[in-house]
Amino acid sequence: MSVTGTPALVSVSISSSLNSFRALKRYARGLTIAEFKCKLELVVGSPASCMELELYTPDDKFVMKLDRDEALLGSYPVDDGCRIHVIDQSGATMGEYEDVSKVEKFQISDTEYEKRTDSARSFMKRSHLGQYKEDLAKESDLEQKLVEEKALVEAISVGARCEVRVSGQPNKRGTVMYAGLTEFKPGYWVGIKYDEPLGKHDGSVNGKQYFECQPKYGAFVKPQYVTVGDFPEEDYGLDDEM
């Protein structure tokens, strides 16, 4: 309890052996020293159980220790302008936790982190944030491209005559031998048996036979480059040669 005529609050300067600073605060004289230490934890960062308190006059002369936890702050000669110095007895030193290289770190491999469902990366993926927003756009573009390629392939019949038209290259005529998905690359492809040996293989890629033709007569092209129609095989005059 406070003495009659004594203000209920007192303004004191707080300093600490663990942190080099001073902070001007107001506290109730009715606090016990134990309660006072708990409030000082948030100011100086030292555990209340490891604090030793010293009282100094406004002109920095030592008065006494505040060493009775059950005593009231107002029972000590604490006046406005006094300084209370907190001595940390935990063994910590100034700046001990400022050098992060001394702090033990939890490490996890990227593979294991990828498996976690409660990580920041997992949240960003689900919410399509940051770099994963761009990934979503790319996936959307890829899906749209597959839809368009599928529609083109469905309009191309195996056995139909066709002409392959690629910008910057001469047109090539041949017969459609395959139309659909492949294992060697994603997306839809059209297998062509050319009328001339202008291809790359015999209808097989990476050991899988998609259709049969003579070596160097077969090729796979994207459906957007294939035009189906009445394209008779051209006569190159080979019969006139001996």
Side-chain angles (χ1 to χ4, degrees):
M1 55 188 296
S2 60
V3 180
T4 303
T6 302
L9 298 177
V10 60
S11 296
V12 295
S13 176
I14 306 298
S15 63
S16 168
S17 64
L18 186 62
N19 299 296
S20 181
F21 75 97
R22 285 197 183 191
L24 185 63
K25 300 285 183 179
R26 289 173 63 85
Y27 295 98
R29 294 177 182 270
L31 290 173
T32 66
I33 296 301
E35 293 171 333
F36 181 50
K37 286 180 178 179
C38 289
K39 290 184 177 294
L40 291 180
E41 278 191 347
L42 300 176
V43 180
V44 300
S46 301
S49 60
C50 299
M51 289 183 188
E52 182 180 303
L53 305 183
E54 293 181 342
L55 177 63
Y56 290 80
T57 64
D59 56 355
D60 262 354
K61 292 181 179 179
F62 176 73
V63 179
M64 63 191 309
K65 292 183 180 291
L66 311 183
D67 52 6
R68 291 179 293 121
D69 285 348
E70 72 283 358
L72 298 180
L73 179 62
S75 67
Y76 288 95
V78 180
D79 294 320
D80 287 342
C82 287
R83 177 170 68 90
I84 295 177
H85 185 66
V86 180
I87 300 174
D88 188 297
Q89 300 289 1
S90 67
T93 58
M94 188 181 300
E96 179 179 1
Y97 301 110
E98 294 178 4
D99 185 356
V100 296
S101 66
K102 298 180 179 179
V103 180
E104 185 177 355
K105 303 174 182 64
F106 171 74
Q107 294 182 327
I108 184 173
S109 68
D110 190 68
T111 302
E112 290 300 317
Y113 186 69
E114 188 69 29
K115 295 178 182 178
R116 299 188 62 162
T117 59
D118 59 347
S119 65
R121 181 185 297 176
S122 176
F123 171 77
M124 293 181 71
K125 280 185 176 181
R126 293 194 303 270
S127 305
H128 303 298
L129 300 174
Q131 69 181 78
Y132 302 106
K133 184 177 181 180
E134 297 179 3
D135 291 343
L136 178 64
K138 290 178 181 178
E139 290 178 8
S140 179
D141 291 343
L142 180 59
E143 289 178 1
Q144 180 62 32
K145 184 178 179 181
L146 287 175
V147 170
E148 293 173 356
E149 286 185 354
K150 183 180 180 181
L152 291 173
V153 162
E154 289 177 344
I156 298 174
S157 301
V158 173
R161 290 289 298 170
C162 67
E163 189 169 74
V164 176
R165 301 170 180 173
V166 179
S167 179
Q169 298 181 19
N171 295 342
K172 305 173 187 177
R173 291 186 179 183
T175 302
V176 176
M177 303 296 290
Y178 180 90
L181 297 171
T182 64
E183 294 180 3
F184 58 84
K185 279 188 178 180
Y188 290 85
W189 295 81
V190 179
I192 308 291
K193 181 180 72 173
Y194 287 129
D195 296 340
E196 303 174 80
L198 302 174
K200 296 183 177 181
H201 48 70
D202 62 355
S204 65
V205 180
N206 296 337
K208 180 170 180 177
Q209 194 81 42
Y210 291 92
F211 60 91
E212 294 183 356
C213 66
Q214 294 174 280
K216 300 296 183 181
Y217 277 74
F220 278 96
V221 296
K222 280 297 185 178
Q224 57 265 38
Y225 301 123
V226 179
T227 301
V228 175
D230 184 16
F231 297 105
E233 186 173 347
E234 293 181 347
D235 183 4
Y236 297 98
L238 298 180
D239 294 337
D240 296 334
E241 295 182 0
M242 296 297 293

